[in-house]
Amino acid sequence: MERSLTMEIVRVTEAAALSAARWMGKGQKNEADGAATEAMRKVLGTIPMNGKVVIGEGEMDEAPMLYIGEELGTGSGPDVDIAVDPVEGTSIVANGSWNALAVIAIADRGHLLHAPDMYMKKIAVGPEAVGKIDINASVTDNLKAVAKAKNKDIEEVVATILDRPRHKEIIDEIRQAGARIKLIEAGDVAAAINTAFDSTGVDILFGTGGAPEGVISAVALKCLGGEMQGILMPEDDEQRERCKKMGIEDINKVFYMDDFCGGDDAIFAGTGVTDGELLKGVQFKGGKAKTQTMVMRAKSGTVRFIEGEHRLDLKPNLVIE
């Protein structure tokens, strides 16, 4: 991939975040997602690449834009796979709460996992605990391993997990082990990324969430030197059949970092829609808007935090120049 794509995709997530943020706190998550998707697609069409969506808003007959298989870009430039989530945390935007992001990940063609839209059991950590976790080990054993790797007492370890009834046993075990918990409403991409930054206070992510979000999280952690492991959790025969079509005969197969994102290069960008531990959300004032974006590349290990100020009267269609 060309280095210039790193900055090009910042425009993509900025546009999506600016559009979604208009709907913050209005209780209309579908409208927020639709606005972000339309803005993201417009900007993707201006980027010099031959892109193909492998993780998007659904299949072609389900999603009018950013559907799986859609080709984007100007048609010149590198051949890349694209994984997008125009609003990672639509309910967060609707409620005006924390850690909604507009995110995109790209990699060389054929290097991103084409994850089906189903649940995935996940575990994720930052760089200090790489190689120390095991998704098939107990929650307690993983907490102990992370505590040792980060030179902490287990009481100092913070696990993050989606606040769902299905996670009751995991939550109970975390508490019994003596660790602390940060329950989240939604947005496990942001939660996975947070494990790689001491400033967030998060050490490990557990739980079951969307498989497509797992791929995007893994790309971000690849850029940050972290680690994610995942196991698909099909709920019925139709979903099990989709796994087989992907070539996954063993439903208990563990996906490791190279399964999520192969090769030595990938790029991730995320712009805050609402405030979070790492990024502030979009702020509107006087015909201008401010954004904060994180963009990073695996090959160079570079992580950038970019603050943008946008004159909205010059960007009526939110095509960010």
Side-chain angles (χ1 to χ4, degrees):
M1 289 188 296
E2 296 176 6
R3 183 183 297 123
S4 61
L5 286 180
T6 304
M7 298 307 297
E8 290 280 3
I9 67 170
V10 171
R11 299 191 296 117
V12 176
T13 56
E14 285 178 339
L18 285 163
S19 293
R22 292 287 192 188
W23 296 92
M24 190 193 80
K26 295 185 177 181
Q28 297 173 282
K29 66 179 185 179
N30 291 335
E31 286 78 1
D33 192 49
T37 300
E38 183 176 1
M40 185 173 270
R41 186 174 185 270
K42 284 180 180 178
V43 182
L44 280 166
T46 71
I47 295 178
M49 65 180 181
N50 180 20
K52 184 177 182 180
V53 177
V54 299
I55 290 176
E57 292 290 277
E59 306 292 343
M60 185 174 180
D61 58 348
E62 299 172 355
M65 297 177 294
L66 294 177
Y67 58 84
I68 296 169
E70 183 173 2
E71 296 184 356
L72 295 164
T74 62
S76 61
D79 295 333
V80 297
D81 283 344
I82 305 171
V84 297
D85 198 342
V87 182
E88 210 276 312
T90 53
S91 63
I92 297 175
V93 177
N95 295 332
S97 51
W98 279 63
N99 276 320
L101 299 175
V103 296
I104 184 170
I106 64 174
D108 290 319
R109 181 67 53 84
H111 284 81
L112 285 184
L113 177 67
H114 296 209
D117 189 7
M118 65 179 66
Y119 280 132
M120 173 179 276
K121 180 181 178 183
K122 308 172 192 177
I123 186 171
V125 291
E128 290 174 283
V130 168
K132 308 299 182 183
I133 57 171
D134 180 355
I135 197 168
N136 285 318
S138 70
V139 169
T140 301
D141 285 346
N142 279 303
L143 289 169
K144 289 178 178 178
V146 170
K148 183 178 180 181
K150 302 191 76 171
N151 194 28
K152 291 185 173 186
D153 294 330
I154 198 164
E155 291 80 8
E156 297 171 330
V157 173
V158 175
T160 188
I161 188 169
L162 287 166
D163 188 5
R164 301 288 188 274
R166 65 179 180 267
H167 291 148
K168 183 181 184 303
E169 290 184 6
I170 298 175
I171 291 168
D172 288 346
E173 187 172 348
I174 293 170
R175 288 172 173 162
Q176 289 167 6
R180 296 173 295 154
I181 302 177
K182 179 175 284 190
L183 294 173
I184 56 173
E185 171 190 339
D188 62 355
V189 173
I193 293 170
N194 284 347
T195 65
F197 292 88
D198 285 341
S199 61
T200 67
V202 174
D203 299 295
I204 185 169
L205 173 139
F206 289 106
T208 303
E213 290 84 354
V215 177
I216 295 172
S217 299
V219 173
L221 287 171
K222 184 183 184 82
C223 296
L224 291 164
E227 180 180 6
M228 169 170 278
Q229 298 174 14
I231 300 174
L232 290 171
M233 305 290 285
E235 297 183 288
D236 52 36
D237 289 341
E238 181 182 351
Q239 290 190 355
R240 280 185 280 273
E241 188 61 32
R242 291 181 72 183
C243 291
K244 289 182 180 179
K245 287 181 179 178
M246 289 178 63
I248 304 167
E249 295 292 337
D250 179 9
I251 298 300
N252 296 314
K253 171 183 170 62
V254 177
F255 291 88
Y256 296 100
M257 293 297 283
D258 284 344
D259 298 311
F260 287 114
C261 181
D264 64 351
D265 204 6
I267 303 172
F268 170 92
T271 301
V273 180
T274 62
D275 289 347
E277 288 90 349
L278 284 173
L279 298 170
K280 289 191 69 66
V282 177
Q283 298 180 347
F284 295 104
K285 184 179 180 182
K288 295 181 180 180
K290 291 183 178 181
T291 56
Q292 283 193 348
T293 301
M294 171 196 299
V295 61
M296 43 204 179
R297 186 179 183 191
K299 193 166 190 176
S300 63
T302 303
V303 180
R304 293 182 172 92
F305 289 87
I306 298 172
E307 294 197 7
E309 183 171 293
H310 312 274
R311 278 186 56 186
L312 300 179
D313 61 317
L314 299 181
K315 305 183 180 75
N317 296 317
L318 293 175
V319 178
I320 310 300
E321 300 297 340

